[in-house]
Each structure stands twice: as structure tokens, then as C-alpha cells.
């Protein structure tokens, strides 16, 4: 299933056939300081559709930081496990919002939750999820891994491996990985390519250490790109655009 420049449906050239898109909950806030911004959710859904139209099979994991972040709750005196479960529920809310936006654009999708809530989401069953992808449905994995103390970065990497994704696309506010914050330092240097070990050793902040180690152990590339760049997701899959590739 892997390979460079394969013909997808309609004859377009794409770099990957099945990918994981990981975005933060904050990406759904738009210019707001909290919650969901429907026009922003709609814009991201349109980006996903543009890639799906190439014939690419898409998984998604969305964080919950726009609604509740477990570490922040823990820092305020809440038991860490309880705070993390609340964060997982926030990811389900974001997943349902994204599902509604995707289906408004004529795409079939499934919200698949690691915590059972059968009235609103399917339980996670690996073979069923793979079948959804084969039927060209977008799978939105919610509630993290179902366990406290694990981030949605780790959940995205775990599900990407389980689904045999060929790469993780990490949508951020900037167009790649920099040696320091480009919003604060004019001389910040962007990497075109960086290794997993360099990310860990230099604390480059791509994903948390557990996610990077899991990607490294399974040789799963991570593509870091700007989610704010219109057409950026599709462009990279077509071999264009600006991004950083994390690999061995």
C-alpha cells in the first residue's frame, strides 16, 4: 500500500494512500479563546475533503485543549486521572463537531471512541475501523487511548500504527519544525528533515516523547505542516508545499 507518487482515484499523484491527521483542539477555536468556532471547523473539513477527493484514506485524532486540558485540571488540584478522563470527553465533543462538518460536505465518517458511549460513537474495534477506511469513510478516533496519563499525540501515533497509516500529518500554526519559536525569534531556522532522535534530544516539541518513540520504533514518518495554509494538506500529498518531515 505504501509508495511515492501512486495513482489515486482520478489519476492524481499522491505520496501516501492512508494517513493520520492529528490536530489540536485549539485549532478548532479560530480567533476565539475557548470552544469551537464553526467556520474554522468547516474550513478544516473542506481541507480534509480536498485530500479525500484524491482517493486518500484518512484517519483523524483531535485534541481537547479548546474545551478541557487534563494537565491544567491536574495542576489546579484535580486528581490527574479524573482530569484526563474529562479531557478525553472533550475530544469526543470535537470529533462529533468535525463529523457533522464532514458529512455536511457529503463525506461519510465514523466517530470511534476508546471509551464506550454507544449512543454517539462506535467502540474501537480495529478490524471494523480498517473496514471503514477501505470503504473510504473518514475515521475520527476520539477519547485518546482510553487511559489516563497518555496524550492525544500518543493516541494518534498508536492508532496510525494500528491502521497501517503511512504517515502522520501534524497540523500546527507554523509550516514545520523550527529550532526555536518563529513567532518570537526572527532568526528561527526551519528544518526540512529531522530525525526522531534529534526531536527528542533537542526538545523540538513536535509531539510528546512517548509519541515520537512509538513512531520511531515503527518507522512511521511525521509530517509537520501549517493547518492555516489554505490547500496545504492537499499540496503536501501532491508533492508540493512547505513542511518538515520527521523520520529515522
Amino acid at each position: 500500500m505504501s509508495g511515492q507518487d501512486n495513482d489515486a482515484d482520478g489519476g492524481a499523484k499522491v505520496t501516501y494512500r492512508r494517513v493520520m491527521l492529528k490536530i489540536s483542539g485549539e485549532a478548532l477555536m479560530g480567533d476565539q479563546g475557548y470552544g469551537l468556532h464553526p467556520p474554522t471547523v468547516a474550513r478544516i473539513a473542506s481541507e480534509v475533503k480536498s485530500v479525500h477527493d484524491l482517493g486518500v484514506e484518512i484517519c483523524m485524532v483531535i485534541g481537547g485543549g479548546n474545551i478541557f486540558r487534563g494537565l491544567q485540571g491536574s495542576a489546579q488540584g484535580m486528581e490527574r486521572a479524573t482530569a484526563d478522563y474529562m479531557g478525553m470527553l472533550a475530544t469526543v465533543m470535537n470529533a462529533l463537531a468535525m463529523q457533522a462538518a464532514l458529512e455536511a460536505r457529503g463525506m461519510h465518517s465514523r466517530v470511534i471512541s476508546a471509551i464506550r458511549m454507544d449512543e454517539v460513537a462506535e467502540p474501537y474495534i480495529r478490524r471494523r475501523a480498517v473496514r471503514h477506511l477501505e470503504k473510504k469513510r473518514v475515521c475520527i478516533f476520539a477519547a485518546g487511548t482510553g487511559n489516563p496519563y497518555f496524550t492525544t499525540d500518543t493516541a494518534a501515533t498508536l492508532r496510525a500504527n494500528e491502521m497501517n497509516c503511512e504517515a502522520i500529518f501534524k497540523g500546527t500554526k507554523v509550516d514545520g519544525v523550527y529550532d526555536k519559536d518563529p513567532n518570537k525569534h526572527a532568526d528561527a531556522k526551519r528544518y526540512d528533515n529531522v530525525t526522531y532522535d534529534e526531536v527528542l534530544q533537542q526538545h523540538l516539541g513536535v509531539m510528546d516523547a512517548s509519541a515520537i518513540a512509538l513512531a520511531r520504533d515503527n518507522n512511521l514518518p511525521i509530517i509537520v505542516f501549517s493547518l492555516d495554509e489554505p490547500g496545504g494538506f492537499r499540496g503536501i500529498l501532491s508533492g508540493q508545499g512547505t513542511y518538515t518531515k520527521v523520520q529515522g
Side-chain angles (χ1 to χ4, degrees):
M1 183 175 63
S2 64
Q4 291 274 353
D5 298 331
N6 290 318
D7 282 325
D9 296 349
K13 299 284 189 178
V14 294
T15 310
Y16 302 105
R17 291 278 193 161
R18 180 180 292 173
V19 301
M20 166 65 72
L21 175 62
K22 167 61 172 70
I23 61 178
S24 67
E26 288 88 347
L28 306 185
M29 293 191 308
D31 294 329
Q32 303 174 152
Y34 179 82
L36 289 158
H37 183 237
T40 299
V41 178
R43 178 182 64 78
I44 295 172
S46 294
E47 294 279 328
V48 172
K49 184 178 188 303
S50 72
V51 170
H52 191 263
D53 287 346
L54 293 174
V56 178
E57 297 170 3
I58 302 173
C59 306
M60 295 182 72
V61 168
I62 307 171
N66 57 318
I67 299 170
F68 189 87
R69 186 179 292 280
L71 280 173
Q72 290 176 351
S74 179
Q76 293 169 8
M78 186 178 295
E79 182 189 14
R80 173 67 188 274
T82 298
D84 280 354
Y85 279 121
M86 292 174 69
M88 290 179 217
L89 296 178
T91 71
V92 177
M93 296 172 69
N94 286 337
L96 292 171
M98 182 57 64
Q99 180 182 45
L102 292 173
E103 299 203 338
R105 283 152 184 77
M107 299 173 64
H108 297 293
S109 63
R110 295 290 186 274
V111 173
I112 301 172
S113 174
I115 298 174
R116 289 192 71 105
M117 45 186 79
D118 295 345
E119 286 74 17
V120 297
E122 288 187 7
Y124 176 69
I125 300 171
R126 179 183 172 275
R127 288 182 179 274
R128 182 188 292 177
V130 169
R131 187 68 179 132
H132 287 320
L133 290 172
E134 291 170 349
K135 291 182 176 180
K136 306 304 181 184
R137 298 165 182 158
V138 176
C139 288
I140 310 170
F141 295 103
T145 66
N147 302 288
Y149 301 98
F150 289 93
T151 67
T152 52
D153 280 346
T154 301
T157 310
L158 173 65
R159 297 292 184 239
N161 280 303
E162 290 179 304
M163 294 298 106
N164 294 318
C165 291
E166 296 169 3
I168 298 174
F169 279 71
K170 176 74 182 286
T172 69
K173 294 285 188 183
V174 293
D175 59 356
V177 179
Y178 287 78
D179 60 349
K180 47 192 166 186
D181 189 343
N183 295 317
K184 297 178 181 177
H185 303 277
D187 61 342
K189 171 192 166 189
R190 186 182 63 79
Y191 299 98
D192 287 328
N193 293 278
V194 65
T195 68
Y196 305 111
D197 289 338
E198 287 170 341
V199 169
L200 293 172
Q201 291 163 7
Q202 299 177 37
H203 305 287
L204 294 177
V206 176
M207 288 179 159
D208 67 74
S210 296
I212 294 295
L214 184 57
R216 180 189 61 193
D217 291 348
N218 293 278
N219 197 29
L220 180 66
I222 303 168
I223 311 294
V224 183
F225 72 106
S226 173
L227 199 62
D228 293 336
E229 182 70 29
F233 187 21
R234 180 186 173 105
I236 294 167
L237 277 155
S238 300
Q240 304 166 354
T242 304
Y243 57 91
T244 298
K245 187 173 186 179
V246 182
Q247 58 187 353

